[in-house]
Amino acid sequence: MSESSEWLIYRGAGEPHDGIRRLPPPPPWRDFSGQEAAAGGDGQFPQPPAPNGADGSEDRRLGAYRHLAELYRPGAEELEMINAALYLRRPLLVTGSPGAGKSTLAHSVAHELGLGRVLRWPIVSRSTLLDGLYRYDSIARLQDVQLAALGAATPGQGGAGAAEGIGSYVRLGPLGTALLPSDLPRVLLIDELDKSDIDLPNDLLNVLEEGEFALPELERIADRLPGGVAEVLTDDGTRARIRDGRVRCRAFPFVVLTSNGERDFPAPLMRRCIHLELGRPDHKRLATFVRAHLGDDAARTGDDLVSRFLERSRSELLASDQLLNAIYLTDAAAPPSRDRLADLLIQRLDRPR
């Protein structure tokens, strides 16, 4: 094998080999080795949220080496808008180009204020309000009722057909979990809202304004539930008690809605949000970003790539995670064709296809 191809794991030769064992550890932002969930509390509901990052999301967003980096200090306007959203209990609408740090902002606030795991709702074109609030699995419940009937189960013992068993078939979504009553606000990230269909921004208005919602499946049978309470699953994987089929928040969550600016939003949503526009990062911010994710050594060796990235970004649409990919790969694999490989990884996003 030539020196220029020694870093390759897959060689395209058609012969099986054990080269996969030479693959280095993944980049910190692509490490999905989650920890085991902690044992569940003392039986009280709702249980405290899992620590932010227990699932690896904090390291992926903020960087595994963030303690080595001089933490980026947001500008005065950014700080003012973030704190305005906290004080006013209003959603924060964050817009900017891909990779500008919109989603990271939610994790940064949760980390600094100790608000637990960030609840994330990634939006796609088929997302509906109900996806964010809760899901009721009526088909699974019907199947369990039929199985119980075949087994001649004794009715009224909390089985699938009993009213008190309905909570096992209800799971709160990220938005529904964020609205559970708690002393401290949860952080909810509604990511890439501009990818939704035309109705979702308007559908969010009432829930974000009132801070509550109903679960009709539970409301209908509330008088048959012990104390009117049903225990349901949450987006955290724990259980929570819902009284009378309604969820009412006590501390309004810190809601971050992100948008790449691909569409305009209706005026009723805009007036209910605090709007923050993130500009293009400068060299210091990008260098700190690289250092937080990859450490000092990679930041020093990749400084020339940071400069080239900034120069290109003046006329091209680029994302900062492309820069991370290029610095990590050229540092970890050290291919001879470093500059060429970096250019292949950092391709303009606004190029016609």
Side-chain angles (χ1 to χ4, degrees), residues 21 29 55 63 72 85 133-134 218 245 277 282 311:
R21 301 184 184 280
W29 62 94
D55 57 356
Y72 171 73
L133 292 177
Y134 75 98
L218 301 184
E277 173 76 24
D282 57 16
E311 181 65 29

Side-chain angles (χ1 to χ4, degrees), residues 28 58-60 62-67 292-294:
E58 186 179 277
D59 282 349
R60 291 198 296 273
L62 300 181
Y65 296 89
R66 58 188 178 276
H67 59 288
H293 282 277
L294 296 174

